[in-house]
Amino acid sequence: DNVDPAELARPKRYLVHEVVALATVLGVVSSFFDFTFFAFFFRQPLSHLQTYWFIGSVLTELVFIYSIRVHKFVFKAIPPGKILFLLSIVAGVASIAIPFTSFGQSVFGFVRPSLPSMLVVFAIVAIYFVTSEVVKLAYYASGRTNKGEA
């Protein structure tokens, strides 16, 4: 991955309690969105929930990588490395494609996704991304970190 030059300007000290605090807050956000997937799909057959939760889980983790990799607003940060970007695209496409394959349907019990349900998944992922960004930026703006300077 590429690293923002400002992150390399001075040695950083990472304090475990700061990492744990941010991870806990973002974990609560992630759990909320897991429950959101359940809320939208729990009345459908289990195979539908499994299919959409699989796709949504992979996509939320992929967008989370881009959010957490920098302290700044993600679109103002240095672009990610080509390998990270390429592998993210491959993983995202694979997570969407697998439920359409006979392999995904027979091995994992997935169903062929419908367009309306996929739009719900994409909306939840987008809202998750925005929420994670807002929480991350608020955390770093709160001044609770010691800025990690050694």
Side-chain angles (χ1 to χ4, degrees), residues 15 44 63 96 100 104 112 117 143:
L15 301 176
Q44 295 184 18
V63 298
I96 294 167
F100 286 95
R112 185 178 200 84
S117 292

Side-chain angles (χ1 to χ4, degrees), residues 20-79:
V20 169
L22 182 58
T24 300
V25 171
L26 291 173
V28 169
V29 170
S30 180
S31 295
F32 173 81
F33 281 91
D34 282 338
F35 286 117
T36 302
F37 278 106
F38 282 106
F40 274 95
F41 298 111
F42 83 98
R43 292 184 191 254
Q44 295 184 18
L46 183 59
S47 58
H48 289 72
L49 171 62
Q50 289 172 324
T51 301
Y52 298 120
W53 192 32
F54 168 76
I55 296 168
S57 293
V58 172
L59 296 179
T60 55
E61 291 307 316
L62 290 172
V63 298
F64 181 70
I65 289 170
Y66 289 92
S67 177
I68 200 66
R69 66 182 277 276
V70 293
H71 292 191
K72 301 176 186 177
F73 178 59
V74 71
F75 296 115
K76 289 188 176 183
I78 188 168

Side-chain angles (χ1 to χ4, degrees), residues 122-142:
F122 293 147
I124 293 170
V125 170
I127 295 167
Y128 169 78
F129 176 71
V130 170
T131 303
S132 293
E133 265 305 283
V134 168
V135 167
K136 173 194 76 175
L137 294 171
Y139 177 81
Y140 287 121
S142 72

